[in-house]
Amino acid sequence: MKLTIATLLAALFLGANPAVAQEAGSIDQAVNEVFATATGPFVSLIFAPIPGTSFPWIVTWLVIAASLFTLYFGFIQIRAFRHSIELVRGAYSDPNDAGEVSHFQALATALSGTVGLGNIAGVAVAVGIGGPGATFWMILAGLLGMATKFTECTLGVKYRNEYADGTVSGGPMYYISKGFAERRVPGGKFLAVLFSLLCILGALGGGNMFQANQAHAQISGVFGAYPGWVTGLVFAAILYAVIVGGIKSIARVTEKVVPFMGVVYVIAALVILAVNFDQIGWAFGQIFAGAFTGLGVAGGMVGALIQGFKRAAFSNEAGVGSAAIAHAAVRTKEPITEGLVSLLEPFIDTVVICTMTALVITISGQLLIDPETGKYLIDGGTIQTIGNTSGVGLTSAAFASAFSWFPYILAIAVVLFAFSTMISWSYYGLKAWTYLFGEGQTKELTFKLLFCVFAVVGAAASLGPVIDFSDAAIFAMAVVNISALYVLMPIVKRELKSYLSRLKSGEIKKVAR
Amino acid sequence: MSAKIVIGLDGGGSGNRAVSHARKLATLIGDCELILVYVIEWSPYSFQTPEENAERHNRREDEIGAALARVVTPAVEALQKDGIAARGLVKHGHVAKLLNRIAAEEAADQIVIARSSEDGIAERVFGSSTANLVMNASVPVTVVG
C-alpha cells in the first residue's frame, strides 16, 4: 500500500510539470494497472454476482439485513416515526442538558456526511441505467434501511467511550468489541480491528478521493477543463486548515451552508414538480411500470431493482457503520432515542432527496423514449439522453431544462457537499485510526496529513480502479458491521422494549417548554 | 416569606446597571435574595462538525467555568460582602426564554434586566432579548436604562 501511495504521489508531481505530463500519463496508467491487479480480486469479491444471476451479493446482503431488522423490530420505522420527529424537536430533552449535543445536531451532522454526491450523481446513474423504475426500489431500500440505521446508531451510543476529559468516541469498533464481550461471543476484538482497517480505507477512498475527484469533474465541467491537481491542492489546503489547523470557522461555514444548499436543492425540485404537476401522475406511472417491467431497460425488472438498491445503499450508508460514529456524540441517557432519531436519516436522504432528483430527471424528459413502443431507447446498457449526459451531468441537464442557471448552483452544491462529506469522513477515519493505534497528537496528525494528501491524489488522477476499490472498502465495512449487528440485535431489542414500556407508562414524559 | 429577584447579566456595563438597581431594591425590601443569571446564547438547532460534537461536553464545561469565573462569581461575591443574599447561575440557551423559565421555577417576584446594547439591523430582524422578555414574561420585569 505504501509503495502505491508513493507512486501515486510521484505521478502527481510529475503531472504538475507540463514537460513530463505525457510521461506522467503513462505512469498514471501504470499505477492504474498495478493498483487494479492488486485490488481487483477484493473488488470482484465484493461486487460478485450471486451464482446464476446478475445480482451482486453485497446488495442482497444489505437488503436482507434491512428487511430482517425491519421485521425483528416490528416496523419500528413506521411505528416510531412520529416519536422520532418529537425527539429531534427536543420535546423529550432535559433542559439541564442545554449546551450539550442535541438530537437535532447529531442528526444534522450525520446527514451532512451522507447527503452528497449519492443524492445527485448516484440517483442519475441509477435512473440512467435502471430507468425510472429504479426509483421505486430505491425508495423501498431507503425505507427498509431505516431499521438498519436504527440498530447501529443505538449501539453506537450505548457502547461509546466517554473519556475523563469529557470527549466521546463511538462507533462499530467500540460496540463490536464491548458488545461481543458482553454477550460472550468470541472474535469481537478481531472484527473490531478488521472494521477499523476497512473504515480507514473507506474514509481515504469513498470519503475522500471519490469526493475530490467528482468535485473536480463538476467544476471543470462548468468552468472549462484544467488540471485536477489544482482542485486537489485547494481542497487539501482547506482540509488542512480545518482538520490540522483547527480553523473551525471554515468547517462551521460549510456545515451551515450545506443544509441551506440541501434546502435550495429540494425547493428547486419542488418548484419544477409544481410547474409540471400535470406530469407527476405520469412520472409515478413510469416509476411503477418501470419497477416491475423495466420498460425496456437492460436486465428488465431485475436491472431496475439492482440499480435502485445499490444507489440507495451508496447514498444513505445504512449498515456501513459510519453513521454510528457520527451519532455517538449526542447527549442522552437513553441510547435508543438516538437510534430512533437516526432512522430519519435514510428517510430524508433517500426517500425525500433522492426521489426528488429521480422525479425531476423523469419529468424533464431527458431520458429518450421510443414513441412507437413507449419503451426507453437503450444505447450500450444505458438509456439514451438528450446530449448524452450521465451522472451529475444528467441531473444538471434535468434541472437546467427548467432553470438555465441551475448548473452553477449545482456546481457549488456538489463542491460543498463533497467537502462536508470529506470533513465527516476525516473524522470517521480518524476514530478508526485512533482505535487501532491509540490516541495521541502525532498519531492523529499522521492520519490527518495522509488524508490531505489523498485529496490531491483523488482530484488529480482519474483512477477508476482506486474508486472501485474505495466503494468496495465501504461495502466491506457493511459486511463486518452487519455481521456484528446480528449478534448484538437482542441488546437493542431489550433497550427498545424497556424504553417503549416506560414511554407508555408515562415514566418518560415530554418536557414542558 | 423572602422576596426573590432574577437578574440578567451580560458581562458588560448594562448587566452591571441591572445588578446595581437590584441591589437598591434588595436593600429597600430587606429580606430579599438576588439570583444572578448569565445566559450563553445557544441553540439546539445549530449545525456542527463531528469533531465539535465529540468535544461539545468539554466546551460546555469550559464556557460555564469561564462565565462563572469572569462574570458571575465576582458579582455574587461583591453582593454577599455587602450582606445581600445572592447566588449565581450560568445556563445555555435563549436569554429571554431562560430568564422567564428560571423566574417561574424559583417563584421569583420580578426580573431585572438592562436595556441591551444591540441595535441596528440585528435588532430589527430578531428583536432584542429585552423586548422579547418584556412581551413574554410571566412575572413583572424592570428594565433598567
Side-chain angles (χ1 to χ4, degrees):
Chain A
M1 186 70 191
K2 265 190 184 144
L3 183 71
T4 324
I5 296 164
T7 334
L8 282 172
L9 274 179
L12 174 71
F13 291 125
L14 287 174
N17 183 343
V20 286
Q22 204 174 352
E23 202 182 325
S26 61
I27 292 179
D28 238 25
Q29 255 175 10
V31 171
N32 261 343
E33 278 163 28
V34 171
F35 200 86
T37 328
T39 59
F42 174 62
V43 175
S44 331
L45 179 71
I46 293 291
F47 291 111
I50 295 170
T53 67
S54 57
F55 210 90
W57 72 270
I58 184 72
V59 175
T60 324
W61 169 259
L62 290 169
V63 173
I64 289 179
S67 312
L68 279 175
F69 294 134
T70 300
L71 293 174
Y72 186 71
F73 295 111
F75 293 88
I76 187 72
Q77 60 269 63
I78 298 167
R79 274 202 296 155
F81 193 80
R82 245 184 83 179
H83 185 62
S84 302
I85 292 173
E86 285 180 334
L87 285 168
V88 176
R89 282 180 43 227
Y92 292 86
S93 306
D94 183 348
N96 292 323
D97 283 342
E100 303 276 5
V101 179
S102 65
H103 282 303
F104 177 90
Q105 284 166 334
L107 177 67
T109 305
L111 263 176
S112 73
T114 57
V115 172
L117 292 166
N119 304 66
I120 299 170
V123 174
V125 170
V127 176
I129 300 173
T135 316
F136 175 86
W137 301 109
M138 205 169 61
I139 295 172
L140 186 66
L143 290 172
L144 291 173
M146 291 165 79
T148 314
K149 207 62 131 189
F150 159 76
T151 316
E152 62 187 3
C153 291
T154 302
L155 291 167
V157 175
K158 185 170 168 63
Y159 292 104
R160 64 185 166 188
N161 270 9
E162 287 177 64
Y163 300 103
D165 69 354
T167 55
V168 290
S169 279
M173 48 281 183
Y174 294 100
Y175 62 68
I176 294 174
S177 54
K178 290 190 198 172
F180 274 48
E182 192 181 304
R183 297 216 66 203
R184 296 175 196 283
V185 177
K189 192 78 192 162
F190 170 76
L191 278 183
V193 168
L194 185 61
F195 177 85
S196 299
L197 281 172
L198 293 168
C199 182
I200 291 168
L201 294 178
L204 293 175
N208 182 349
M209 296 173 79
F210 176 71
Q211 305 293 331
N213 191 288
Q214 289 299 296
H216 172 69
Q218 180 64 13
I219 300 172
S220 56
V222 173
F223 299 107
Y226 66 96
W229 57 264
V230 177
T231 312
L233 278 182
V234 173
F235 263 76
I238 304 175
L239 268 177
Y240 182 88
V242 174
I243 64 176
V244 182
I247 301 184
K248 299 260 164 61
S249 50
I250 300 173
R252 220 169 273 152
V253 169
T254 317
E255 298 299 310
K256 281 191 175 58
V257 176
V258 162
F260 176 73
M261 293 307 277
V263 171
V264 167
Y265 186 79
V266 170
I267 289 176
L270 282 174
V271 169
I272 294 175
L273 296 179
V275 170
N276 299 295
F277 73 96
D278 54 325
Q279 290 184 50
I280 294 179
W282 170 81
F284 272 108
Q286 291 285 301
I287 288 172
F288 282 110
F292 298 102
T293 66
L295 288 175
V297 303
M301 172 186 154
V302 176
L305 189 144
I306 293 175
Q307 284 304 322
F309 279 166
K310 198 168 159 186
R311 291 298 147 184
F314 261 114
S315 177
N316 65 39
E317 292 170 18
V320 170
S322 50
I325 305 177
H327 281 279
V330 73
R331 185 71 174 183
T332 178
K333 291 174 196 79
E334 304 284 346
I336 212 82
T337 56
E338 195 53 27
L340 292 173
V341 165
S342 74
L343 63 76
L344 295 173
E345 213 185 305
F347 185 81
I348 298 170
D349 180 278
T350 310
V351 181
V352 178
I353 304 183
C354 286
T355 307
M356 293 281 171
T357 308
L359 279 175
V360 169
I361 293 174
T362 309
I363 285 182
S364 73
Q366 293 290 316
L367 305 171
L368 297 175
I369 300 176
D370 185 342
E372 281 176 21
T373 61
K375 291 189 171 178
Y376 288 97
L377 290 167
I378 307 295
D379 181 20
T382 58
I383 297 175
Q384 283 185 35
T385 54
I386 300 172
N388 278 328
T389 52
S390 66
V392 181
L394 176 55
T395 311
S396 196
F399 277 85
S401 67
F403 307 114
S404 59
W405 42 266
F406 201 80
Y408 297 99
I409 301 280
L410 197 65
I412 299 171
V414 164
V415 172
L416 286 171
F417 284 161
F419 189 67
S420 77
T421 305
M422 287 163 94
I423 292 183
S424 298
W425 275 94
S426 76
Y427 179 76
Y428 304 156
L430 182 67
K431 286 291 121 182
W433 184 272
T434 53
Y435 180 81
L436 287 180
F437 302 114
E439 320 246 343
Q441 290 242 309
T442 325
K443 289 168 188 164
E444 292 186 12
L445 188 65
T446 313
F447 176 77
K448 288 173 176 176
L449 289 175
L450 196 66
F451 199 83
C452 292
V453 169
F454 268 78
V456 186
V457 179
S462 54
L463 298 173
V466 175
I467 286 159
D468 282 347
F469 173 70
S470 6
D471 289 346
I474 286 185
F475 278 120
M477 285 165 71
V479 177
V480 179
N481 185 43
I482 288 175
S483 310
L485 293 183
Y486 286 139
V487 175
L488 301 175
M489 63 186 190
I491 297 174
V492 180
K493 186 144 193 172
R494 204 171 60 214
E495 292 264 332
L496 178 65
K497 218 173 149 188
S498 141
Y499 178 79
L500 289 179
S501 71
R502 278 177 294 145
L503 192 65
K504 205 173 169 190
S505 74
E507 192 184 327
I508 297 169
K509 286 193 283 283
K510 273 193 194 178
V511 177
R513 283 146 74 81
Chain B
M1 200 183 104
S2 72
K4 272 185 190 174
I5 301 176
V6 169
I7 303 137
L9 292 183
D10 66 352
S14 55
N16 293 340
R17 291 201 304 279
V19 174
S20 58
H21 180 72
R23 173 201 288 259
K24 211 182 293 171
L25 291 177
T27 320
L28 290 173
I29 297 167
D31 184 12
C32 177
E33 188 188 26
L34 301 185
I35 302 162
L36 277 59
V37 182
Y38 183 89
V39 177
I40 301 166
E41 270 294 339
W42 181 84
S43 163
Y45 306 114
S46 62
F47 297 96
Q48 309 198 82
T49 61
E51 201 161 2
E52 283 178 307
N53 280 349
E55 291 168 356
R56 185 60 217 161
H57 181 68
N58 255 355
R59 287 280 160 280
R60 178 178 183 266
E61 303 282 292
D62 290 351
E63 288 164 4
I64 294 175
L68 276 175
R70 280 190 215 142
V71 182
V72 179
T73 312
V76 168
E77 280 172 357
L79 289 167
Q80 285 171 343
K81 213 171 75 187
D82 295 347
I84 297 167
R87 63 196 157 92
L89 289 173
V90 176
K91 296 275 179 186
H92 282 77
H94 185 271
V95 178
K97 275 187 197 158
L98 265 174
L99 287 177
N100 192 27
R101 204 184 78 204
I102 292 167
E105 278 171 9
E106 299 277 355
D109 300 278
Q110 68 163 305
I111 301 172
V112 177
I113 44 164
R115 200 164 52 216
S116 60
S117 45
E118 35 173 348
D119 56 356
I121 197 130
E123 188 173 331
R124 277 169 208 280
V125 176
F126 303 110
S128 74
S129 304
T130 314
N132 273 333
L133 182 63
V134 170
M135 282 188 286
N136 299 311
S138 46
V139 296
V141 178
T142 303
V143 181
V144 181

